[in-house]
PDB file of all heavy atoms in Angstrom:
ATOM      1  N   TYR A   2       7.083  -7.067  33.170  1.00 97.00           N
ATOM      2  CA  TYR A   2       6.520  -5.876  33.801  1.00 97.00           C
ATOM      3  C   TYR A   2       5.471  -6.260  34.840  1.00 97.00           C
ATOM      4  O   TYR A   2       4.683  -7.180  34.646  1.00 97.00           O
ATOM      5  CB  TYR A   2       5.908  -4.963  32.736  1.00 97.00           C
ATOM      6  CG  TYR A   2       6.903  -4.586  31.670  1.00 97.00           C
ATOM      7  CD1 TYR A   2       6.759  -5.044  30.366  1.00 97.00           C
ATOM      8  CD2 TYR A   2       7.997  -3.798  31.974  1.00 97.00           C
ATOM      9  CE1 TYR A   2       7.675  -4.708  29.394  1.00 97.00           C
ATOM     10  CE2 TYR A   2       8.925  -3.452  31.004  1.00 97.00           C
ATOM     11  CZ  TYR A   2       8.757  -3.914  29.711  1.00 97.00           C
ATOM     12  OH  TYR A   2       9.667  -3.579  28.753  1.00 97.00           O
ATOM     13  N   LYS A   3       5.450  -5.509  35.939  1.00 98.00           N
ATOM     14  CA  LYS A   3       4.513  -5.774  37.033  1.00 98.00           C
ATOM     15  C   LYS A   3       3.564  -4.615  37.305  1.00 98.00           C
ATOM     16  O   LYS A   3       2.516  -4.806  37.897  1.00 98.00           O
ATOM     17  CB  LYS A   3       5.280  -6.095  38.330  1.00 98.00           C
ATOM     18  CG  LYS A   3       6.140  -7.326  38.243  1.00 98.00           C
ATOM     19  CD  LYS A   3       5.290  -8.562  38.134  1.00 98.00           C
ATOM     20  CE  LYS A   3       6.136  -9.811  38.046  1.00 98.00           C
ATOM     21  NZ  LYS A   3       5.392 -10.940  37.553  1.00 98.00           N
ATOM     22  N   HIS A   4       3.977  -3.400  36.896  1.00 98.00           N
ATOM     23  CA  HIS A   4       3.168  -2.223  37.212  1.00 98.00           C
ATOM     24  C   HIS A   4       3.234  -1.244  36.034  1.00 98.00           C
ATOM     25  O   HIS A   4       4.298  -0.702  35.733  1.00 98.00           O
ATOM     26  CB  HIS A   4       3.691  -1.568  38.488  1.00 98.00           C
ATOM     27  CG  HIS A   4       2.791  -0.516  39.039  1.00 98.00           C
ATOM     28  ND1 HIS A   4       3.100   0.158  40.193  1.00 98.00           N
ATOM     29  CD2 HIS A   4       1.610  -0.004  38.617  1.00 98.00           C
ATOM     30  CE1 HIS A   4       2.137   1.029  40.454  1.00 98.00           C
ATOM     31  NE2 HIS A   4       1.232   0.946  39.503  1.00 98.00           N
ATOM     32  N   ILE A   5       2.099  -1.025  35.402  1.00 98.00           N
ATOM     33  CA  ILE A   5       2.015  -0.200  34.195  1.00 98.00           C
ATOM     34  C   ILE A   5       1.355   1.136  34.512  1.00 98.00           C
ATOM     35  O   ILE A   5       0.255   1.175  35.065  1.00 98.00           O
ATOM     36  CB  ILE A   5       1.210  -0.923  33.093  1.00 98.00           C
ATOM     37  CG1 ILE A   5       1.855  -2.268  32.759  1.00 98.00           C
ATOM     38  CG2 ILE A   5       1.085  -0.039  31.855  1.00 98.00           C
ATOM     39  CD1 ILE A   5       1.008  -3.143  31.844  1.00 98.00           C
ATOM     40  N   LEU A   6       2.022   2.226  34.142  1.00 98.00           N
ATOM     41  CA  LEU A   6       1.433   3.555  34.258  1.00 98.00           C
ATOM     42  C   LEU A   6       0.728   3.876  32.946  1.00 98.00           C
ATOM     43  O   LEU A   6       1.313   3.719  31.869  1.00 98.00           O
ATOM     44  CB  LEU A   6       2.500   4.613  34.539  1.00 98.00           C
ATOM     45  CG  LEU A   6       1.951   6.025  34.766  1.00 98.00           C
ATOM     46  CD1 LEU A   6       1.290   6.121  36.133  1.00 98.00           C
ATOM     47  CD2 LEU A   6       3.043   7.062  34.638  1.00 98.00           C
ATOM     48  N   VAL A   7      -0.515   4.335  33.052  1.00 98.00           N
ATOM     49  CA  VAL A   7      -1.288   4.701  31.868  1.00 98.00           C
ATOM     50  C   VAL A   7      -1.707   6.171  31.991  1.00 98.00           C
ATOM     51  O   VAL A   7      -2.734   6.488  32.585  1.00 98.00           O
ATOM     52  CB  VAL A   7      -2.539   3.799  31.700  1.00 98.00           C
ATOM     53  CG1 VAL A   7      -3.288   4.168  30.424  1.00 98.00           C
ATOM     54  CG2 VAL A   7      -2.144   2.332  31.691  1.00 98.00           C
ATOM     55  N   PRO A   8      -0.892   7.083  31.428  1.00 97.00           N
ATOM     56  CA  PRO A   8      -1.280   8.494  31.438  1.00 97.00           C
ATOM     57  C   PRO A   8      -2.453   8.702  30.479  1.00 97.00           C
ATOM     58  O   PRO A   8      -2.512   8.085  29.410  1.00 97.00           O
ATOM     59  CB  PRO A   8      -0.044   9.222  30.910  1.00 97.00           C
ATOM     60  CG  PRO A   8       1.055   8.215  30.907  1.00 97.00           C
ATOM     61  CD  PRO A   8       0.417   6.878  30.837  1.00 97.00           C
ATOM     62  N   THR A   9      -3.376   9.552  30.864  1.00 96.00           N
ATOM     63  CA  THR A   9      -4.529   9.822  30.018  1.00 96.00           C
ATOM     64  C   THR A   9      -4.848  11.309  30.002  1.00 96.00           C
ATOM     65  O   THR A   9      -4.641  11.994  30.996  1.00 96.00           O
ATOM     66  CB  THR A   9      -5.771   9.028  30.481  1.00 96.00           C
ATOM     67  OG1 THR A   9      -6.862   9.289  29.594  1.00 96.00           O
ATOM     68  CG2 THR A   9      -6.170   9.361  31.909  1.00 96.00           C
ATOM     69  N   ASP A  10      -5.343  11.759  28.865  1.00 94.00           N
ATOM     70  CA  ASP A  10      -5.857  13.128  28.781  1.00 94.00           C
ATOM     71  C   ASP A  10      -7.375  13.092  28.583  1.00 94.00           C
ATOM     72  O   ASP A  10      -8.001  14.101  28.352  1.00 94.00           O
ATOM     73  CB  ASP A  10      -5.170  13.916  27.665  1.00 94.00           C
ATOM     74  CG  ASP A  10      -5.381  13.303  26.280  1.00 94.00           C
ATOM     75  OD1 ASP A  10      -6.111  12.296  26.151  1.00 94.00           O
ATOM     76  OD2 ASP A  10      -4.788  13.827  25.318  1.00 94.00           O
ATOM     77  N   GLY A  11      -7.935  11.888  28.664  1.00 94.00           N
ATOM     78  CA  GLY A  11      -9.373  11.733  28.514  1.00 94.00           C
ATOM     79  C   GLY A  11      -9.835  11.569  27.079  1.00 94.00           C
ATOM     80  O   GLY A  11     -11.026  11.400  26.825  1.00 94.00           O
ATOM     81  N   SER A  12      -8.917  11.599  26.132  1.00 92.00           N
ATOM     82  CA  SER A  12      -9.284  11.499  24.718  1.00 92.00           C
ATOM     83  C   SER A  12      -9.591  10.057  24.314  1.00 92.00           C
ATOM     84  O   SER A  12      -9.254   9.104  25.024  1.00 92.00           O
ATOM     85  CB  SER A  12      -8.148  12.043  23.842  1.00 92.00           C
ATOM     86  OG  SER A  12      -7.023  11.186  23.929  1.00 92.00           O
ATOM     87  N   LYS A  13     -10.204   9.910  23.139  1.00 94.00           N
ATOM     88  CA  LYS A  13     -10.486   8.571  22.602  1.00 94.00           C
ATOM     89  C   LYS A  13      -9.188   7.806  22.356  1.00 94.00           C
ATOM     90  O   LYS A  13      -9.111   6.608  22.575  1.00 94.00           O
ATOM     91  CB  LYS A  13     -11.288   8.667  21.303  1.00 94.00           C
ATOM     92  CG  LYS A  13     -12.713   9.087  21.503  1.00 94.00           C
ATOM     93  CD  LYS A  13     -13.469   9.137  20.188  1.00 94.00           C
ATOM     94  CE  LYS A  13     -14.888   9.610  20.416  1.00 94.00           C
ATOM     95  NZ  LYS A  13     -15.650   9.686  19.167  1.00 94.00           N
ATOM     96  N   LEU A  14      -8.179   8.510  21.908  1.00 92.00           N
ATOM     97  CA  LEU A  14      -6.890   7.869  21.659  1.00 92.00           C
ATOM     98  C   LEU A  14      -6.262   7.370  22.961  1.00 92.00           C
ATOM     99  O   LEU A  14      -5.707   6.270  23.012  1.00 92.00           O
ATOM    100  CB  LEU A  14      -5.957   8.844  20.949  1.00 92.00           C
ATOM    101  CG  LEU A  14      -4.744   8.242  20.269  1.00 92.00           C
ATOM    102  CD1 LEU A  14      -5.115   7.136  19.291  1.00 92.00           C
ATOM    103  CD2 LEU A  14      -3.966   9.323  19.548  1.00 92.00           C
TER     104      LEU A  14
END
Side-chain angles (χ1 to χ4, degrees):
Y2 304 112
K3 298 292 180 197
H4 191 179
I5 302 171
L6 184 74
V7 182
T9 182
D10 61 3
S12 68
K13 288 181 182 179
L14 197 54

